[in-house]
Amino acid sequence: MPAATRVLLVEDDRDLAAALRLELGHARYDVRIEGDGPRALRAHQEWAPDLILLDLGLPSLDGIEVCRRLRAASPAPILIVTARGAVEERVRGLDAGADDYLVKPFSLEELLARVRSALRRSARHEQGERLRVGELMLDAAAHTVSLAGQPVELTPREFALLEFLMRHRGRALGRQTLLTEVWGYDFLGGSNVIDVYVGYLRQKLAAAGEPPRIETVRGVGYALREP
Ligand code: CA
């Protein structure tokens, strides 16, 4: 039997931590709880978790800073957990390298779904998967993109958007799907953000050569066409 997936739970609310440990345990995850940032950083070194659930409201070291340090030290996906309403905090968390976030109170089903989804994405990256559409190449593990051999510099969010388009090439993808899958949450700026990022991608790719076309599908969203 393969070793259980290790989840590091960084949460100072003991009751919530204990409840989550129980539920994650039922789902066959191996859970370790730490109540503050410095302990979490040490635990991460000793234990090498496969995924980190990080509460942002922590004593001693600010959760955002903990996120930044964990990100610098670990390839494991980080899901931040935060209180409702703290929109800015969520955005800061994502900017600090978190992969996704959950808003308290959340349902157990949602937590487990997000955990599974983050682990799937991370497994694909570990396998060093390369995607190719025409002359456009994306290396998920190395986090690089090239067009006809020329490197293309993308921001993390542009990269994630392009990866999703390439993975589902030839299919019309709705804006809501792109938001949920690429941004991982309901972005408050609305689906306009997709149009803005598609614009960035088109510009950067066109500047690098002759990329496959990111087509606007009226009333739906976008599709990456095979050349
Ligand atoms: Ca807390």
Side-chain angles (χ1 to χ4, degrees):
M1 213 179 98
T5 301
R6 289 187 296 273
V7 174
L8 175 61
L9 174 58
V10 190
E11 172 62 76
D12 61 323
D13 178 334
R14 289 183 181 203
D15 292 341
L16 178 58
L20 288 177
R21 188 215 288 271
L22 195 67
E23 297 296 351
L24 287 163
H26 285 321
R28 304 200 176 278
Y29 293 107
D30 185 2
V31 182
R32 175 164 167 171
I33 300 171
E34 297 296 347
D36 66 34
R39 283 168 193 275
L41 288 160
R42 273 201 300 280
H44 147 264
Q45 276 188 334
E46 295 163 14
W47 198 54
D50 298 298
L51 179 132
I52 300 160
L53 273 172
L54 174 66
D55 175 36
L56 284 187
L58 291 172
S60 76
L61 190 59
D62 174 52
I64 297 285
E65 184 55 30
V66 177
C67 182
R68 198 169 287 125
R69 294 192 196 177
L70 284 169
R71 177 73 306 145
S74 170
I78 301 172
L79 264 66
I80 56 177
V81 178
T82 178
R84 188 172 292 279
V87 177
E88 259 180 42
E89 207 175 49
R90 280 177 247 163
V91 173
R92 283 175 62 221
L94 293 167
D95 286 345
D99 296 87
D100 198 0
Y101 75 76
L102 276 155
V103 177
K104 288 179 184 175
F106 47 81
S107 71
L108 178 65
E109 289 73 19
E110 184 182 10
L111 169 73
L112 293 174
R114 300 269 184 143
V115 165
R116 283 193 301 269
S117 157
L119 288 168
R120 272 198 306 272
R121 287 196 299 263
S122 122
R124 281 201 303 255
H125 284 200
E126 270 179 23
Q127 286 156 14
E129 187 182 6
R130 288 196 177 85
L131 301 169
R132 172 189 271 272
V133 177
E135 297 286 307
L136 186 62
M137 288 270 291
L138 181 146
D139 185 326
H143 230 262
T144 55
V145 174
S146 65
L147 183 61
Q150 295 300 310
V152 183
E153 297 288 329
L154 298 178
T155 65
R157 207 55 74 173
E158 290 163 357
F159 182 92
L161 176 59
L162 182 63
E163 181 181 354
F164 193 78
L165 288 167
M166 289 178 78
R167 206 174 282 291
H168 301 91
R169 59 184 162 272
R171 279 175 47 192
L173 301 166
R175 287 184 177 78
Q176 194 54 53
T177 303
L178 291 169
L179 266 185
T180 312
E181 296 292 333
V182 177
W183 271 256
Y185 59 106
D186 296 325
F187 191 74
L188 271 102
S191 59
N192 175 18
V193 69
I194 301 292
D195 306 314
V196 171
Y197 273 81
V198 166
Y200 293 156
L201 268 184
R202 281 173 172 159
Q203 277 176 23
K204 287 191 176 178
L205 294 174
E210 281 188 48
R213 233 154 30 96
I214 304 174
E215 200 174 270
T216 305
V217 183
R218 284 187 68 183
V220 181
Y222 295 97
L224 182 71
R225 294 296 175 203
E226 303 264 14

